[in-house]
Amino acid sequence: MQANSKMPNRHNEGGDTRNFTTYNYQVLRDDVFMLGRDGTVTGNRVAPVRSSSAVLVSSQNQNREWIYSQQQTISAEGFSGQTFNTHVPHTVRATETKTCTDCHVSKNNDNNAWMAQLLLQGTNFVNFMGRYVYVASGDALEAVVATERTEPQAVIGSTLQKITYPSNYQNFVNDGRELREAYEHKANPRALQVQLRGEYAYVAAGEGGLRVYDVAQIDQKGFSERITTAPVSRFGQKFYLKTKYASAVAAPSTLAVDPARWRMTNDGKMVDPETARQLGMDKLINEEQPIHPLYAYLYVVDKFEGLIVVNAATLLDGDPLNNYLKRQLDETKYPNGAFNPDGALAGANNITIAGTNAYITTDRELVIVSIDDPLNPKILSHISFNHPRSIAIQFRYGFVVDDDGLKVIDVTTPQTPQIINGATVRFQDARDVYLARTYAYVADGKDGVAIVNVKQPDRPHLDHIYNAEGKLNDTRQVKIAMTNASLFAYVADGKNGLRVLQLTSPETMPTYAGFSPRPAPQLIATFKTKGEALAVSRPLDRDRATDESGNQIAVFGRRGARPFTFEEMQRMLRTRDGKGDYFTVTDEPSNASRSFASTGRSSSRVLTSLLLGVLLSVTGYCGARRLRRKNAA
């Protein structure tokens, strides 16, 4: 959005406006199928869902200063403005239609990513990185300019830049494909991991504990210091939290979600979030679901202290007088306000949050911690690994990297996770893993980026390893994001800095359309960081409306419309109305006789049909006997 730019108003009422806003079609997808509950007017029936109106706002003043850049919107109820809408089907196709495996787990177990997308949990494929890429480079937090400023927002060095900004592209190529513009803030003492959300970047700083940086003015040329620890003195607010050794930090979502907002009831009264949860969705004027309280916090893992919970919602409430970060766990129950029962989280090195569970890797095992009650966490289970370093969750499976390589676990029931025998891909130096639809991207240290096909999670196999002819030789972390129609990988390549890879391109992949095209990486840009590039901030989720536990996080554009609850999800996965066994389906059922002992709704239907047939036969036989006796009489 550009202020003081006179443009005609493009709505029906006509007239002029002083703000010009471009429209970007990136969010309109035709390669996915999603389901949810429609609005009140249709009785909340099941309906297709699409992502829509995913607004990011930038504003330029009369001095051509960008007073804020690509900031998220938040609904009045506190949901993310990455909006979704339900649409009642209104056409009938003669040839194509949805089949069994479009909505239920496939017998071949090859639709795990599809099911994650169907249920609005997201797949990381269309996530948005934006103009700035935030890198934790050990000595500093650095924001690297990776795209053009104007629309179309082409990634520098990409095919799109070559087409739309040919002179800029040629100058960039002639300059050795080196990114030059970046802004930094010296880390205190180190930046090990970073996560951007809204106007803040959260950094795990080792001995420096948790550090929160204000990056609202990152694109503002009127500010000499664009990344600050606080806009006022430390006596006015406290944007840090001391810990012994903060190894990682996780926000439950990259979406800007504010669970602390007050809500309006049908009688016009405003109520606090806790009262809103007690009243229930039906008492709220716009029928929005209450946001789960776990989204109010940051979750820090410390190598010595364990899990530390920090209130982040206080930075969003508009009150600058309460911006003092502190430990939220009760110190009478948890020593020093940290959760670490019997040292179970000693050596914690990473954390991933999926639904109401935190998956924490330590030096020796994976620990699954319930944060359904974030101020009273509890351990659900442990699994031993060979020095695990990271985990990624997609629908029913977790993908763990350790000293042996990439391993897969079944987390359908987090209380009893199971390592899948044989589901291992060996790597020499696996550091981190990130999933995008049917591919896992493993940061494989000196060997580069390993791309693993996980379409069938229980049968992963290496697709290929890319090292850019030896230039990628210290990879620490990989993040995937989409700009316009192309997919990109942002790689923290240790001593080499930030690397940008273009994964899909019309030049090398003329038929790359579809749900999950096979990536063909090309190194297109590099930025030499101040220190070793250790981590890259996760991009903005654009296809995620709910979490794995059925908690809504994105606003819906229909009154009463929403994603499925956890119980409704289970009905699509389990027999007996979501309370029985898990079942699988096939689009091509065999005509051969089937064993009733096999698990699955299809066998249940066969059994029901046979029993019904037997019942009708017996009824017919008895009726015929009565008729014969009557005639004989």
Side-chain angles (χ1 to χ4, degrees):
M1 180 170 64
Q2 291 179 273
N4 295 310
S5 179
K6 185 177 180 180
M7 296 292 293
N9 196 324
R10 296 178 179 176
H11 293 279
N12 293 332
E13 62 269 21
D16 296 327
T17 177
R18 292 183 60 193
N19 292 294
F20 172 64
T21 304
T22 59
Y23 188 84
N24 191 310
Y25 298 92
Q26 293 186 54
V27 76
L28 298 176
R29 313 296 307 172
D30 62 359
D31 54 354
V32 296
F33 176 59
M34 300 181 288
L35 290 178
R37 288 287 185 181
D38 199 18
T40 307
V41 69
T42 64
N44 301 114
R45 62 183 175 183
V46 175
V49 175
R50 74 175 178 92
S51 176
S52 62
S53 303
V55 177
L56 295 174
V57 181
S58 300
S59 185
Q60 189 179 42
N61 64 16
Q62 62 271 24
N63 297 322
R64 297 181 181 177
E65 297 172 328
W66 290 93
I67 53 179
Y68 44 92
S69 174
Q70 294 185 330
Q71 288 301 313
Q72 299 182 52
T73 58
I74 304 178
S75 76
E77 299 292 327
F79 289 105
S80 167
Q82 295 289 305
T83 313
F84 289 76
N85 277 327
T86 50
H87 291 270
V88 177
H90 54 276
T91 58
V92 176
R93 303 298 294 266
T95 56
E96 306 107 334
T97 186
K98 293 304 174 186
T99 58
C100 300
T101 58
D102 285 308
C103 297
H104 304 286
V105 175
S106 167
K107 180 181 179 181
N108 295 327
N109 201 28
D110 59 359
N111 66 344
N112 191 69
W114 182 268
M115 289 297 297
Q117 189 67 76
L118 176 95
L119 299 176
L120 300 172
Q121 296 174 10
T123 58
N124 297 325
F125 189 78
V126 296
N127 290 0
F128 182 73
M129 186 62 80
R131 176 167 166 78
Y132 290 89
V133 179
Y134 288 81
V135 183
S137 62
D139 296 333
L141 169 65
E142 301 185 56
V144 183
V145 174
T147 74
E148 295 282 356
R149 183 187 300 280
T150 56
E151 293 290 347
Q153 192 178 4
V155 174
I156 297 172
S158 67
T159 302
L160 182 61
Q161 189 196 32
K162 181 180 180 180
I163 296 171
T164 55
Y165 303 91
S167 60
N168 290 0
Y169 175 81
Q170 194 58 52
N171 291 337
F172 178 70
V173 172
N174 294 340
D175 194 28
R177 290 184 175 270
E178 293 282 341
L179 298 170
R180 301 294 182 184
E181 185 178 356
Y183 304 95
E184 65 172 281
H185 192 289
K186 184 173 176 56
N188 183 18
R190 301 190 72 207
L192 303 179
Q193 198 180 88
V194 58
Q195 178 56 63
L196 174 72
R197 185 173 68 171
E199 297 181 345
Y200 300 101
Y202 311 123
V203 174
E207 294 92 342
L210 170 69
R211 300 279 166 169
V212 178
Y213 295 92
D214 189 325
V215 295
Q217 306 299 331
I218 190 63
D219 215 20
Q220 166 65 288
K221 67 179 182 180
F223 278 68
S224 57
E225 185 62 45
R226 303 193 187 196
I227 303 176
T228 62
T229 52
V232 297
S233 75
R234 66 185 180 89
F235 297 103
Q237 55 191 27
K238 179 187 171 188
F239 274 20
Y240 63 91
L241 183 73
K242 292 182 179 180
T243 74
K244 290 184 179 180
Y245 193 93
S247 50
V249 58
S253 174
T254 57
L255 299 174
V257 181
D258 184 4
R261 293 199 177 192
W262 285 44
R263 306 163 74 85
M264 181 178 289
T265 60
N266 287 328
D267 55 6
K269 295 180 180 179
M270 297 298 291
V271 298
D272 63 275
E274 181 57 35
T275 303
R277 281 189 285 273
Q278 293 174 3
L279 288 175
M281 173 179 145
D282 58 325
K283 300 292 182 65
L284 303 177
I285 192 167
N286 60 357
E287 300 180 12
E288 297 276 53
Q289 299 181 92
I291 302 172
H292 197 288
L294 75 87
Y295 287 95
Y297 302 99
L298 297 175
Y299 301 86
V300 181
V301 289
D302 186 278
K303 185 176 180 179
F304 304 102
E305 298 190 68
L307 176 64
I308 299 169
V309 181
V310 183
N311 185 4
T314 187
L315 305 179
L316 306 175
D317 61 6
D319 183 2
L321 301 179
N322 64 1
N323 290 345
Y324 293 87
L325 299 181
K326 61 182 181 180
R327 303 178 185 221
Q328 294 298 309
L329 298 184
D330 187 349
E331 294 192 11
T332 62
K333 296 173 58 179
Y334 307 100
N336 299 318
F339 178 72
N340 190 17
D342 301 322
L345 299 179
N349 55 47
N350 218 328
I351 178 173
T352 296
I353 296 175
T356 58
N357 297 318
Y359 295 79
I360 301 173
T361 52
T362 71
D363 290 338
R364 59 196 181 281
E365 61 185 3
L366 169 70
V367 183
I368 303 179
V369 179
S370 171
I371 52 174
D372 193 23
D373 182 354
L375 300 185
N376 292 285
K378 61 180 181 180
I379 292 178
L380 297 179
S381 56
H382 308 247
I383 309 181
S384 295
F385 284 94
N386 186 11
H387 191 204
R389 298 183 180 91
S390 177
I391 181 173
I393 304 294
Q394 185 185 81
F395 191 43
R396 300 190 303 127
Y397 294 93
F399 300 81
V400 182
V401 290
D402 67 0
D403 283 349
D404 299 326
L406 176 69
K407 299 177 180 178
V408 184
I409 62 174
D410 187 330
V411 293
T412 304
T413 306
Q415 293 82 358
T416 56
Q418 301 291 329
I419 296 179
I420 299 177
N421 293 330
T424 300
V425 181
R426 301 287 177 180
F427 295 112
Q428 295 293 322
D429 194 21
R431 310 285 188 85
D432 197 76
V433 59
Y434 193 76
L435 261 63
R437 292 197 174 162
T438 63
Y439 291 95
Y441 296 82
V442 178
D444 193 21
K446 64 181 184 302
D447 292 327
V449 176
I451 302 176
V452 181
N453 188 317
V454 293
K455 183 176 181 179
Q456 291 179 287
D458 54 344
R459 300 177 185 177
H461 62 273
L462 178 65
D463 188 272
H464 64 286
I465 295 179
Y466 179 77
N467 63 11
E469 299 179 345
K471 294 178 182 178
L472 286 169
N473 53 34
D474 192 22
T475 56
R476 310 291 185 88
Q477 199 173 83
V478 184
K479 294 293 188 294
I480 307 299
M482 178 171 282
T483 300
N484 290 291
S486 292
L487 197 67
F488 296 88
Y490 299 84
V491 183
D493 194 26
K495 60 188 178 184
N496 303 307
L498 173 69
R499 305 281 202 181
V500 182
L501 311 180
Q502 183 167 341
L503 300 178
T504 58
S505 165
E507 294 179 334
T508 59
M509 303 172 62
T511 59
Y512 72 92
F515 179 70
S516 187
R518 181 175 182 265
Q522 295 175 291
L523 176 61
I524 62 170
T526 298
F527 176 80
K528 188 67 180 73
T529 52
K530 298 294 181 184
E532 292 186 343
L534 303 178
V536 178
S537 176
R538 177 173 174 159
L540 173 66
D541 291 321
R542 293 195 298 184
D543 61 352
R544 183 171 169 90
T546 185
D547 64 24
E548 288 75 7
S549 300
N551 298 306
Q552 182 177 340
I553 53 179
V555 68
F556 271 60
R558 303 280 187 270
R559 181 177 176 181
R562 57 174 176 78
F564 290 142
T565 63
F566 182 76
E567 291 74 19
E568 289 169 333
M569 292 181 189
Q570 293 303 298
R571 291 174 196 162
M572 301 184 69
L573 308 175
R574 305 173 69 168
T575 60
R576 292 175 43 219
D577 203 26
K579 299 177 182 179
D581 297 328
Y582 288 92
F583 67 86
T584 59
V585 299
T586 176
D587 295 333
E588 298 177 358
S590 172
N591 291 327
S593 60
R594 297 184 52 141
S595 170
F596 296 147
S598 63
T599 301
R601 176 173 290 183
S602 56
S603 60
S604 298
R605 285 176 174 169
V606 171
L607 178 60
T608 302
S609 299
L610 288 175
L611 290 175
L612 181 59
V614 171
L615 179 61
L616 292 175
S617 299
V618 171
T619 303
Y621 174 74
C622 294
R625 289 192 63 184
R626 285 195 299 269
L627 182 59
R628 285 197 297 269
R629 286 197 302 266
K630 182 179 179 181
N631 292 336

